Amino acid sequence: MRIILLGPPGSGKGTLGEKLEGSTGFPRISTGDILRQAVREGTTLGKQAAAIMAKGELVSDEIVTGLVRERIARPDCRRGYILDGYPRTMAQAEALERLDGDRAEVVLALEVKDETVVARLGGRRVCGACASIFNVVGRAADQIGECDDCGGPLQQRLDDSEAVVRERLRVYKEATAPLAGYYKARSTYRTIDGEGHPEDVFRRASAVLDTERKAAGDRKAR
Ligand code: ADP
Ligand code: ZN
């Protein structure tokens, strides 16, 4: 089983993906996290990707598909995996089909209002030590300095500045939004209301996922 999380930047793919990793035991594969780690480590890949990511543009299909190919070949992906941030273009969707086409698949498309995206990304902070995701919206000032999980320093992602967020939304609408049509036609495609508290979004997604996993099991049994 493969779970593909679709949705604009700020729709909560990362937060939901972490929770689903806990409930399903499938590893969450975030191409954004892999790329950010490469940037931090200063690898050749990181050097290539840094400037592109800082502008809110997309890293090349070849590079990200190479990362995913290598990652899903590892043994912990045998039962299943969760994709967060890949595929992001039609070419990547087709490449994934070639890499691992036979697997049962559920696409969960998170739906949120544009104003929610802008508010969430503006308030998003990421722990510099453990990469936990937080949001300063609605939190008191004395709680926003450090990570609840490990006490590490909370930082704003470089690409969460207002101008870059606008560019990421533009790129999403142009390159990624068309994937909805692709997956509606050929896969199990379910929309999830992404508004509200992360726990509520997780509950909605889990209910949908349970139904779809049972249906996939029944199809296999027949
Ligand atoms: P978000 O979904 O919040 O925009 P991500 O962490 O998924 O953030 O991605 C951050 C950046 O990493 C993107 O803006 C892009 O530059 C790059 N990136 C991540 N995944 C891909 C991908 N599948 N294809 C191309 N670029 C990617
Ligand atoms: Zn932390």
Side-chain angles (χ1 to χ4, degrees):
M1 165 75 62
R2 154 168 78 222
I3 302 167
I4 296 179
L5 301 176
L6 279 186
S11 58
K13 300 186 297 293
T15 303
L16 176 61
E18 284 177 5
K19 291 180 188 295
L20 290 176
E21 183 173 56
S23 64
T24 62
F26 299 164
R28 160 180 170 255
I29 302 172
S30 159
T31 44
D33 282 356
I34 296 172
L35 290 167
R36 274 185 292 278
Q37 192 183 343
V39 171
R40 274 198 304 276
E41 290 171 354
T43 62
T44 312
L45 165 68
K47 282 179 189 134
Q48 288 176 327
I52 300 169
M53 293 172 74
K55 282 188 283 186
E57 312 286 315
L58 295 181
V59 175
S60 83
D61 292 332
E62 290 69 30
I63 289 179
V64 289
T65 295
L67 295 173
V68 169
R69 176 191 297 123
E70 186 266 328
R71 183 64 189 84
I72 66 177
R74 291 197 218 154
D76 62 337
C77 292
R78 210 171 307 147
R79 280 182 52 241
Y81 53 88
I82 302 165
L83 290 177
D84 165 4
Y86 184 95
R88 230 180 179 91
T89 64
M90 284 298 291
Q92 291 176 20
E94 285 159 5
L96 178 63
E97 206 55 41
R98 286 192 296 274
L99 281 182
D100 193 16
D102 288 338
R103 206 178 270 275
E105 178 179 81
V106 176
V107 179
L108 301 178
L110 283 167
E111 295 188 327
V112 292
K113 297 190 235 74
D114 274 4
E115 64 212 69
T116 305
V117 166
V118 173
R120 281 183 185 171
L121 293 181
R124 174 160 71 180
R125 299 293 182 275
V126 182
C127 174
C130 77
S132 280
I133 308 162
F134 297 89
N135 209 295
V136 299
V137 175
R139 285 190 181 218
D142 64 330
Q143 292 175 294
I144 64 177
E146 54 185 46
C147 173
D148 288 351
D149 295 337
C150 77
L154 295 190
Q155 298 160 345
Q156 184 164 39
R157 249 170 63 174
L158 215 60
D159 58 350
D160 278 347
S161 71
E162 204 190 308
V164 180
V165 165
R166 241 180 282 123
E167 176 62 8
R168 283 160 62 204
L169 276 171
R170 190 193 67 74
V171 170
Y172 173 80
K173 280 172 188 164
E174 187 180 293
T176 311
L179 292 183
Y182 175 85
Y183 282 117
K184 273 179 201 162
R186 58 181 300 139
S187 191
T188 303
Y189 178 93
R190 300 287 305 268
T191 56
I192 309 287
D193 175 4
E195 297 286 340
H197 196 279
E199 270 310 314
D200 295 329
V201 179
F202 173 57
R203 260 192 294 277
R204 287 175 210 135
S206 298
V208 167
L209 200 56
D210 285 348
T211 311
E212 294 304 336
R213 286 177 81 178
K214 278 199 198 86
D218 290 349
R219 276 197 297 276
K220 218 172 155 186
R222 254 184 269 133

